[in-house]
Amino acid sequence: MAWLMDAISASDGSTTGVASVLADRMAHLPEESRQEWMKGKSKLELRKIMVKVVADAHKASWVATAHLDKERERGRSFDDAYEDLKPYLDAVSRSLNEEPLEPGVGPGSTGTAA
């Protein structure tokens, strides 16, 4: 997580700013050091991907926090409430080398993320 904190401190703190810092750093990696999903991508393409990744991660953290807070208020234990989140967190934590997450996936829901 140090790389993320470093990108946040090197940016203006916005989603776009953090994504730009990450993409700029990735663009300077030698081709053989790049992850498969990065290969052949321009700096602009990397920036667009990273904006989505950072925004999705931010949304996932809010979804998880809201769910845990709501369930804890209902008297459920953290561990029990977390079990609901596990499939959602596994899905949003996928590698960029994998297929993209379908929109509308959320914990304990019928297709909503909140």
Side-chain angles (χ1 to χ4, degrees):
M1 280 291 246
W3 59 268
L4 179 58
M5 296 306 293
D6 184 47
I8 291 169
S9 66
S11 72
D12 63 6
S14 69
T15 299
T16 305
V18 173
S20 293
V21 168
L22 292 172
D24 289 346
R25 291 179 181 172
M26 289 177 194
H28 291 101
L29 290 173
E31 193 70 19
E32 64 273 4
S33 296
R34 291 180 173 209
Q35 295 290 317
E36 194 61 38
W37 67 267
M38 295 170 57
K39 292 184 177 180
K41 301 276 191 301
S42 69
K43 189 186 280 190
L44 179 60
E45 290 171 312
L46 289 173
R47 192 171 288 160
K48 286 179 182 179
I49 292 167
M50 292 314 299
V51 165
K52 181 169 179 9
V53 167
V54 171
D56 287 352
H58 187 251
K59 178 182 175 187
S61 71
W62 280 104
V63 167
T65 299
H67 177 76
L68 291 170
D69 288 349
K70 180 175 74 173
E71 294 304 309
R72 297 282 291 144
E73 286 174 11
R74 292 181 177 170
R76 292 180 71 196
S77 71
F78 176 88
D79 291 336
D80 190 33
Y82 181 80
E83 284 301 312
D84 294 346
L85 282 173
K86 187 86 172 83
Y88 172 70
L89 294 175
D90 288 345
V92 298
S93 298
R94 76 218 178 274
S95 166
L96 288 173
N97 291 326
E98 299 172 19
E99 288 296 315
L101 176 66
E102 291 296 322
V105 175
S109 69
T110 57
T112 61

